[in-house]
Amino acid sequence: MSPAPSPAGTLAWFASGALILEAVLRLRAGKWSFVLFSPEARRKKALDLLSSPARPGRPWPAIAAAGLGLLLLSGFVFDLARPRSPFSRGAAAAAMIEVGQGQAALVRTGDGRHLLIDGGGFYRSEWDVGKNIVAPGLLALGIRRLDAAVLTHPHPDHGRGLSYILDHFPVGEFWLPPCRNYLSEELTAIAERRGVKVRVLDESIGSFRFGETVVEVFHPEAGADELCADPNNQSLVLRISSGPMSVLVTGDIEKEVETLLVEKYTESGRLHSRVLLVPHHGSCTSSTPAFV
């Protein structure tokens, strides 16, 4: 899979084709297209013109057109290969990837690391969000490698799209909560098969450094139920801090966990963040006034 070309790259592609075609017409028929297909020429049979011997003349105009066409073609190839990113160089940033129901978010740290938070997906459809939306989105941003892929909790609308990403992109680490079900087992198996480091995170971890970035783990609580009876409220809650940028990742936590987090961390102010990934992607079960 390759990224889509920029508008300039697309223009270079069509212009290179037109110039190379012009060169072929000039060498074969001794005419440029605007002469060959002029109203006067249309009164003759174009195929006869093409099949007739080329008129004697210098080949340099055709060679020049072909050379310019090849130069533009090389520009198109370079446009596909070069990394493109709307993010300012050296600045931390966060962006949402539109996956419909569910969540997929990209965090770029100040030292240039890329973390994919969830990958979208559907409950009752096999249509691959990871292949058709997330992967093209990453490639369009010039991202061909992820330093971490994060599963906040193993529900299909957050995790199914990660299957393709873990299986087709180089990924440094895979983070997930202790809550285990068929989806988390499937993703873990893909990660282990591809040699990706797997980190199971809960509150007992506290915080850790990821390059120059600090990751704090607020939830789930230590000793969380691995049977995954309530995946939403066992979602990872992480604060990812890189310089002045901080992102609070909340998964699908609901009112009960929001209240718990407010009680635990209001005084310390550790939940305060520049960017909040809204709990449960805006559902009415979450985003209580006290938490927000």
Side-chain angles (χ1 to χ4, degrees):
M1 182 178 290
S2 60
S6 67
T10 302
L11 180 61
W13 166 254
F14 285 108
S16 67
L19 284 167
I20 292 171
L21 179 59
E22 287 289 340
V24 171
L25 288 172
R26 175 73 182 189
L27 288 171
R28 189 72 187 89
K31 296 178 182 292
W32 299 112
S33 64
F34 65 86
V35 175
L36 183 62
F37 300 109
S38 64
E40 181 182 352
R42 281 200 296 267
R43 286 194 288 266
K44 302 178 182 179
K45 293 183 179 180
L47 289 177
D48 289 344
L49 286 170
L50 287 172
S51 61
S52 63
R55 293 183 179 180
R58 296 182 179 181
W60 300 115
I63 293 173
L68 182 56
L70 290 173
L71 183 63
L72 288 171
L73 183 61
S74 66
F76 169 75
V77 173
F78 174 77
D79 180 69
L80 285 182
R82 73 181 178 89
R84 295 185 294 275
S85 176
F87 303 135
S88 300
R89 188 177 182 85
M96 300 301 295
I97 301 173
E98 178 55 68
V99 292
Q101 164 71 24
Q103 174 178 278
L106 179 68
V107 174
R108 196 188 90 153
T109 66
D111 57 348
R113 295 174 181 242
H114 293 100
L115 294 79
L116 178 64
I117 314 296
D118 293 328
F122 297 106
Y123 279 88
R124 298 178 180 86
S125 173
E126 295 301 317
W127 195 77
D128 195 333
V129 171
K131 178 180 179 180
N132 295 299
I133 295 179
V134 180
L138 294 175
L139 292 171
L141 294 172
I143 299 170
R144 293 169 173 78
R145 181 187 184 279
L146 291 169
D147 295 279
V150 183
L151 174 69
T152 58
H153 65 295
H155 270 162
D157 58 341
H158 287 249
R160 195 175 293 281
L162 288 177
S163 296
Y164 184 88
I165 301 301
L166 285 169
D167 208 18
H168 292 82
F169 278 67
V171 178
E173 298 188 5
F174 176 47
W175 305 349
L176 73 165
C179 173
R180 312 290 286 182
N181 67 6
Y182 74 95
L183 181 55
S184 62
E185 295 290 352
E186 173 189 317
L187 295 174
T188 300
I190 295 172
E192 291 176 342
R193 172 169 55 80
R194 301 204 67 212
V196 178
K197 179 180 178 180
V198 177
R199 288 200 200 217
V200 179
L201 304 179
D202 64 23
E203 186 187 21
S204 67
I205 301 293
S207 65
F208 62 92
R209 296 197 70 86
F210 192 61
E212 298 177 5
T213 299
V214 176
V215 180
E216 299 172 83
V217 187
F218 299 129
H219 196 73
E221 297 179 293
D225 181 14
E226 291 190 9
L227 297 178
C228 224
D230 184 5
N232 285 346
N233 279 327
Q234 294 181 56
S235 295
L236 284 178
V237 178
L238 309 174
R239 186 175 186 267
I240 301 170
S241 305
S242 179
M245 168 65 79
S246 54
V247 180
L248 188 63
V249 177
T250 58
D252 277 0
I253 60 169
E254 299 180 349
K255 298 174 183 178
E256 299 82 1
V257 174
E258 290 183 356
T259 301
L260 177 65
L261 292 172
V262 169
E263 291 173 354
K264 281 186 175 181
Y265 298 109
T266 294
E267 290 188 8
S268 67
R270 290 172 62 193
L271 291 176
H272 292 175
S273 304
R274 291 283 298 275
V275 176
L276 169 66
L277 300 189
V278 178
H280 210 165
H281 35 91
S283 296
C284 63
T285 62
S286 312
S287 297
T288 54
F291 181 78
V292 174

